[in-house]
Amino acid sequence: MDIELNPPQGITGFPLGMSAEEVKAAAAEFGRANVRDEGSAERGRYMKVTALHPQFEIVFHCEDGATLTAAEVWIPRPGSENISVQFRGIDVFRTPARKLLELLEGMGLTVLDETLYAYVPKLSLGFTRVAGHEVPLDSDGEPLYFQAVLTGPTGYYDLLMPEA
């Protein structure tokens, strides 16, 4: 299974702006879907649909309570399926975090690197190295690979850009 990140449009099969009902139906096709705060658009407590596949999770954010506003893909675990999460031909979770950021910068993208988190503001991509279990570590003592990536709409991370 290949999941393609296509910021700021969404991910494979889940374009940003699709209805929450469509998200729930499509997420269930991964195995099971868990819905939290259905219909809620409260800041900090908005609707989320989590697709639970035996090897990975995707959290679909419906911040307005009605439509898909961001998709957060978590690193696949080993299992029977070969699962890759790609961005412009790069396997996001099989490329070491530091190398991935170098490749993104090599594409002319602005990368804000905060060690455990990294953002590509103009493209609306966000990464985390935070892991809730043991994972291979890099020379800086942090996880070697990113553990999750979020794709949001245009401008999603632009507020992180330093003032010129």
Side-chain angles (χ1 to χ4, degrees), residues 2-6 84-92 94:
D2 294 322
I3 299 171
E4 183 71 29
L5 306 174
N6 185 20
S84 86
V85 179
Q86 303 272 329
F87 173 70
R88 296 184 184 173
I90 302 167
D91 191 319
V92 171
R94 290 187 183 119

Side-chain angles (χ1 to χ4, degrees), residues 13-108:
F14 293 88
L16 300 184
M18 76 187 292
S19 76
E21 292 304 313
E22 292 171 312
V23 170
K24 289 190 297 188
E29 292 179 21
F30 283 113
R32 192 165 54 94
N34 180 19
V35 180
R36 284 191 17 219
D37 300 316
E38 182 142 10
S40 178
E42 292 179 35
R43 184 173 177 85
R45 193 172 158 245
Y46 55 83
M47 181 177 178
K48 292 181 184 176
V49 178
T50 303
L52 299 163
H53 180 277
Q55 290 176 243
F56 67 90
E57 291 85 37
I58 302 175
V59 180
F60 297 102
H61 301 254
C62 299
E63 296 167 80
D64 63 1
T67 60
L68 179 61
T69 54
E72 182 179 9
V73 184
W74 287 83
I75 190 169
R77 294 174 294 281
S80 60
E81 282 189 68
N82 181 23
I83 299 166
S84 86
V85 179
Q86 303 272 329
F87 173 70
R88 296 184 184 173
I90 302 167
D91 191 319
V92 171
F93 295 123
R94 290 187 183 119
T95 304
R98 297 278 157 238
K99 178 68 175 168
L100 177 62
L101 297 181
E102 288 173 16
L103 292 169
L104 295 174
E105 286 176 333
M107 292 177 185

Side-chain angles (χ1 to χ4, degrees), residues 81-161:
E81 282 189 68
N82 181 23
I83 299 166
S84 86
V85 179
Q86 303 272 329
F87 173 70
R88 296 184 184 173
I90 302 167
D91 191 319
V92 171
F93 295 123
R94 290 187 183 119
T95 304
R98 297 278 157 238
K99 178 68 175 168
L100 177 62
L101 297 181
E102 288 173 16
L103 292 169
L104 295 174
E105 286 176 333
M107 292 177 185
L109 299 170
T110 299
V111 174
L112 305 177
D113 181 6
E114 299 178 3
T115 307
L116 288 176
Y117 301 95
Y119 307 95
V120 185
K122 300 286 186 191
L123 195 58
S124 299
L125 276 177
F127 301 90
T128 183
R129 289 170 80 186
V130 175
H133 55 282
E134 283 199 38
V135 296
L137 300 179
D138 202 345
S139 60
D140 62 3
E142 300 302 338
L144 179 60
Y145 301 99
F146 283 113
Q147 300 300 297
V149 59
L150 183 139
T151 298
T154 300
Y156 199 77
Y157 290 117
D158 288 2
L159 63 105
L160 301 173
M161 290 290 291

